[in-house]
Coordinates of all heavy atoms in Angstrom, one line a residue:
T208 N 7.6 10.1 -10.1 CA 9.0 9.8 -10.4 C 9.5 10.7 -11.5 O 10.6 11.3 -11.4 CB 9.2 8.4 -10.7 OG1 8.8 7.6 -9.6 CG2 10.7 8.0 -10.9
A209 N 8.7 10.8 -12.5 CA 9.1 11.7 -13.7 C 9.3 13.1 -13.3 O 10.3 13.8 -13.6 CB 8.1 11.5 -14.8
L210 N 8.4 13.6 -12.5 CA 8.5 15.0 -12.0 C 9.7 15.2 -11.1 O 10.3 16.3 -11.1 CB 7.2 15.4 -11.3 CG 5.9 15.5 -12.2 CD1 4.7 15.9 -11.4 CD2 6.1 16.5 -13.3
A211 N 9.9 14.2 -10.3 CA 11.1 14.3 -9.4 C 12.4 14.4 -10.2 O 13.3 15.2 -9.8 CB 11.1 13.2 -8.4
I212 N 12.5 13.6 -11.3 CA 13.7 13.7 -12.1 C 13.8 15.0 -12.8 O 14.9 15.6 -12.9 CB 13.6 12.5 -13.1 CG1 13.7 11.2 -12.4 CG2 14.7 12.7 -14.2 CD1 13.6 10.0 -13.3
M213 N 12.7 15.5 -13.3 CA 12.7 16.9 -13.9 C 13.1 18.0 -12.9 O 13.8 18.9 -13.2 CB 11.3 17.2 -14.5 CG 10.9 16.3 -15.6 SD 12.0 16.3 -17.0 CE 12.0 18.0 -17.5
R214 N 12.6 17.8 -11.6 CA 13.0 18.7 -10.6 C 14.5 18.7 -10.3 O 15.2 19.7 -10.2 CB 12.2 18.4 -9.3 CG 12.6 19.2 -8.1 CD 12.1 18.5 -6.9 NE 12.8 17.2 -6.8 CZ 12.3 16.2 -6.0 NH1 11.3 16.4 -5.2 NH2 13.0 15.0 -5.9
D215 N 15.0 17.5 -10.2 CA 16.5 17.4 -10.0 C 17.3 17.9 -11.1 O 18.4 18.5 -10.9 CB 16.8 15.9 -9.6 CG 16.1 15.4 -8.4 OD1 15.7 16.2 -7.6 OD2 15.9 14.2 -8.3
L216 N 16.9 17.6 -12.3 CA 17.6 18.0 -13.5 C 17.6 19.5 -13.6 O 18.6 20.2 -13.9 CB 17.0 17.4 -14.8 CG 17.6 17.9 -16.1 CD1 19.0 17.5 -16.2 CD2 16.8 17.3 -17.3
A217 N 16.5 20.2 -13.3 CA 16.4 21.6 -13.3 C 17.3 22.3 -12.2 O 17.9 23.3 -12.4 CB 15.0 22.1 -13.2
G218 N 17.4 21.6 -11.1 CA 18.1 22.2 -10.0 C 19.6 22.0 -10.0 O 20.4 22.8 -9.6
E219 N 20.0 20.9 -10.6 CA 21.5 20.5 -10.6 C 22.3 21.3 -11.7 O 23.4 21.7 -11.5 CB 21.7 19.0 -10.7 CG 21.2 18.2 -9.5 CD 21.5 16.8 -9.7 OE1 22.2 16.4 -10.7 OE2 21.1 16.0 -8.8
R220 N 21.7 21.4 -12.9 CA 22.4 22.0 -14.0 C 22.4 23.5 -14.0 O 23.2 24.1 -14.7 CB 21.9 21.4 -15.3 CG 21.8 19.9 -15.4 CD 23.1 19.3 -15.0 NE 24.2 19.7 -15.9 CZ 25.5 19.4 -15.7 NH1 25.8 18.8 -14.6 NH2 26.4 19.8 -16.6
G221 N 21.5 24.1 -13.3 CA 21.5 25.6 -13.2 C 21.2 26.3 -14.5 O 21.6 27.4 -14.7
K222 N 20.3 25.7 -15.3 CA 19.9 26.3 -16.6 C 18.7 27.2 -16.3 O 17.9 27.0 -15.4 CB 19.5 25.2 -17.6 CG 20.6 24.3 -17.9 CD 21.7 24.9 -18.7 CE 22.8 23.9 -19.2 NZ 23.8 24.6 -20.0
W225 N 14.8 25.6 -20.7 CA 14.9 24.3 -21.2 C 15.6 24.2 -22.6 O 16.2 23.2 -22.9 CB 13.6 23.6 -21.2 CG 13.0 23.3 -19.9 CD1 11.9 23.8 -19.3 CD2 13.5 22.3 -19.0 NE1 11.7 23.3 -18.1 CE2 12.6 22.3 -17.9 CE3 14.6 21.4 -19.0 CZ2 12.8 21.5 -16.8 CZ3 14.8 20.6 -17.9 CH2 13.9 20.6 -16.8
T228 N 19.3 23.3 -22.6 CA 19.7 21.9 -22.1 C 20.3 21.2 -23.3 O 19.6 21.1 -24.4 CB 18.5 21.2 -21.5 OG1 18.0 21.9 -20.4 CG2 19.0 19.8 -21.0
D229 N 21.5 20.6 -23.2 CA 22.1 19.9 -24.3 C 22.4 18.5 -23.9 O 22.1 18.1 -22.8 CB 23.3 20.6 -24.9 CG 24.3 20.9 -23.8 OD1 24.2 20.3 -22.7 OD2 25.3 21.6 -24.0
V230 N 23.1 17.8 -24.8 CA 23.4 16.4 -24.5 C 24.3 16.2 -23.3 O 24.2 15.3 -22.5 CB 24.1 15.8 -25.8 CG1 24.5 14.3 -25.5 CG2 23.1 15.8 -27.0
H231 N 25.3 17.1 -23.1 CA 26.2 17.0 -22.0 C 25.5 17.2 -20.7 O 25.9 16.5 -19.7 CB 27.3 18.1 -22.2 CG 28.0 18.0 -23.5 ND1 28.9 17.0 -23.8 CD2 28.0 18.8 -24.6 CE1 29.4 17.1 -25.1 NE2 28.8 18.2 -25.6
D232 N 24.5 18.1 -20.6 CA 23.8 18.2 -19.4 C 23.0 17.0 -19.0 O 23.0 16.5 -17.9 CB 22.8 19.4 -19.5 CG 23.5 20.7 -19.6 OD1 24.5 20.9 -19.0 OD2 23.1 21.5 -20.5
V233 N 22.4 16.4 -20.0 CA 21.6 15.2 -19.7 C 22.5 14.0 -19.4 O 22.2 13.2 -18.4 CB 20.8 14.8 -21.0 CG1 20.0 13.5 -20.8 CG2 19.8 15.9 -21.3
E234 N 23.7 13.8 -20.1 CA 24.6 12.7 -19.7 C 25.2 12.9 -18.4 O 25.3 11.9 -17.6 CB 25.7 12.6 -20.8 CG 25.2 12.1 -22.2 CD 26.3 12.0 -23.2 OE1 27.4 12.6 -22.9 OE2 26.1 11.3 -24.2
A235 N 25.5 14.1 -18.0 CA 26.1 14.4 -16.7 C 25.1 14.1 -15.6 O 25.4 13.6 -14.5 CB 26.6 15.8 -16.6
F236 N 23.8 14.4 -15.9 CA 22.8 14.2 -14.9 C 22.5 12.7 -14.7 O 22.4 12.3 -13.6 CB 21.5 14.9 -15.4 CG 20.3 14.6 -14.5 CD1 20.2 15.2 -13.3 CD2 19.3 13.8 -15.0 CE1 19.1 14.9 -12.5 CE2 18.2 13.5 -14.2 CZ 18.1 14.1 -12.9
L237 N 22.5 12.0 -15.8 CA 22.2 10.5 -15.7 C 23.4 9.8 -15.1 O 23.2 8.8 -14.4 CB 21.9 10.0 -17.1 CG 20.7 10.5 -17.8 CD1 20.6 9.9 -19.2 CD2 19.4 10.1 -17.0
A238 N 24.6 10.3 -15.3 CA 25.7 9.7 -14.7 C 25.7 9.8 -13.2 O 26.4 9.1 -12.5 CB 27.0 10.2 -15.3
G239 N 25.0 10.8 -12.6 CA 25.0 11.0 -11.2 C 24.3 9.9 -10.4 O 24.6 9.7 -9.2
S240 N 23.4 9.2 -11.0 CA 22.7 8.2 -10.3 C 22.2 7.1 -11.3 O 21.5 7.4 -12.3 CB 21.4 8.7 -9.6 OG 20.7 7.7 -9.0
P241 N 22.6 5.8 -11.1 CA 22.1 4.8 -12.0 C 20.6 4.7 -12.1 O 20.1 4.2 -13.1 CB 22.8 3.5 -11.5 CG 23.9 4.0 -10.6 CD 23.5 5.4 -10.1
A242 N 19.9 5.0 -11.0 CA 18.5 4.9 -11.0 C 17.8 5.8 -12.0 O 16.7 5.5 -12.5 CB 17.9 5.2 -9.6
R243 N 18.5 6.9 -12.3 CA 17.9 7.9 -13.2 C 17.9 7.3 -14.7 O 17.1 7.7 -15.5 CB 18.6 9.2 -13.2 CG 18.5 9.9 -11.8 CD 19.5 11.1 -11.8 NE 19.4 11.8 -10.5 CZ 20.3 12.7 -10.1 NH1 21.3 13.0 -10.9 NH2 20.1 13.3 -8.9
Q244 N 18.9 6.4 -15.0 CA 19.0 5.9 -16.3 C 17.8 5.1 -16.7 O 17.5 5.0 -17.9 CB 20.3 5.1 -16.4 CG 21.5 5.8 -16.1 CD 22.8 4.9 -16.1 OE1 22.7 3.8 -16.5 NE2 23.9 5.5 -15.6
R245 N 17.0 4.6 -15.8 CA 15.8 3.8 -16.1 C 14.7 4.7 -16.6 O 13.7 4.3 -17.2 CB 15.4 2.9 -15.0 CG 16.4 1.9 -14.6 CD 15.8 0.9 -13.6 NE 15.3 1.5 -12.4 CZ 16.1 1.6 -11.3 NH1 17.3 1.1 -11.3 NH2 15.6 2.2 -10.2
H246 N 14.8 6.0 -16.2 CA 13.7 7.0 -16.6 C 14.3 8.1 -17.4 O 13.8 9.2 -17.3 CB 13.1 7.6 -15.3 CG 12.7 6.5 -14.3 ND1 11.4 5.9 -14.4 CD2 13.3 6.0 -13.2 CE1 11.3 5.1 -13.5 NE2 12.4 5.1 -12.7
E247 N 15.3 7.8 -18.2 CA 16.0 8.9 -19.0 C 15.1 9.5 -20.0 O 15.5 10.6 -20.6 CB 17.3 8.3 -19.6 CG 17.0 7.3 -20.6 CD 18.3 6.7 -21.2 OE1 19.3 7.0 -20.6 OE2 18.2 6.0 -22.2
N248 N 14.0 9.0 -20.4 CA 13.2 9.5 -21.4 C 12.0 10.3 -20.9 O 11.1 10.7 -21.7 CB 12.6 8.4 -22.3 CG 11.7 7.5 -21.5 OD1 11.9 7.3 -20.3 ND2 10.8 6.8 -22.2
V249 N 12.0 10.6 -19.6 CA 10.8 11.3 -19.1 C 10.7 12.8 -19.4 O 9.6 13.3 -19.4 CB 10.7 11.1 -17.6 CG1 10.6 9.6 -17.2 CG2 11.9 11.7 -16.8
G250 N 11.8 13.4 -19.6 CA 11.8 14.9 -19.6 C 12.2 15.5 -21.0 O 12.3 16.7 -21.1
W251 N 12.4 14.6 -22.0 CA 12.8 15.2 -23.3 C 11.8 16.1 -24.0 O 12.1 16.9 -24.8 CB 13.3 14.1 -24.2 CG 14.3 13.2 -23.7 CD1 14.6 12.0 -24.1 CD2 15.2 13.5 -22.6 NE1 15.6 11.4 -23.4 CE2 16.0 12.3 -22.4 CE3 15.5 14.5 -21.7 CZ2 17.0 12.2 -21.5 CZ3 16.5 14.4 -20.7 CH2 17.2 13.3 -20.6
S254 N 12.6 19.7 -23.1 CA 13.9 20.3 -23.5 C 14.0 20.5 -25.0 O 13.1 20.1 -25.7 CB 15.0 19.4 -23.0 OG 14.9 18.1 -23.5
S258 N 18.9 17.7 -27.4 CA 19.1 16.5 -26.6 C 18.6 15.3 -27.2 O 18.7 14.2 -26.7 CB 18.5 16.7 -25.2 OG 17.1 16.9 -25.3
L261 N 20.9 12.3 -28.0 CA 21.5 11.5 -26.9 C 21.3 10.0 -27.3 O 20.2 9.6 -27.6 CB 20.8 11.8 -25.6 CG 21.3 11.0 -24.4 CD1 22.7 11.4 -24.0 CD2 20.3 11.3 -23.2
R264 N 20.5 4.2 -24.2 CA 21.1 3.0 -23.7 C 20.2 1.9 -23.9 O 19.0 2.0 -23.6 CB 21.5 3.2 -22.3 CG 22.6 4.2 -22.0 CD 22.8 4.4 -20.5 NE 23.9 5.3 -20.2 CZ 23.8 6.6 -20.2 NH1 22.7 7.2 -20.5 NH2 24.8 7.3 -19.9

Side-chain angles (χ1 to χ4, degrees):
T208 301
L210 293 180
I212 293 177
M213 297 301 299
R214 174 200 60 197
D215 297 340
L216 176 61
E219 290 184 9
R220 305 310 299 172
K222 301 292 183 177
W225 287 112
T228 304
D229 55 13
V230 176
H231 304 290
D232 294 318
V233 177
E234 288 182 341
F236 173 75
L237 295 177
S240 174
R243 296 168 179 168
Q244 298 176 9
R245 296 193 298 266
H246 306 277
E247 62 182 12
N248 62 333
V249 298
W251 303 159
S254 58
S258 62
L261 178 67
R264 295 175 174 83

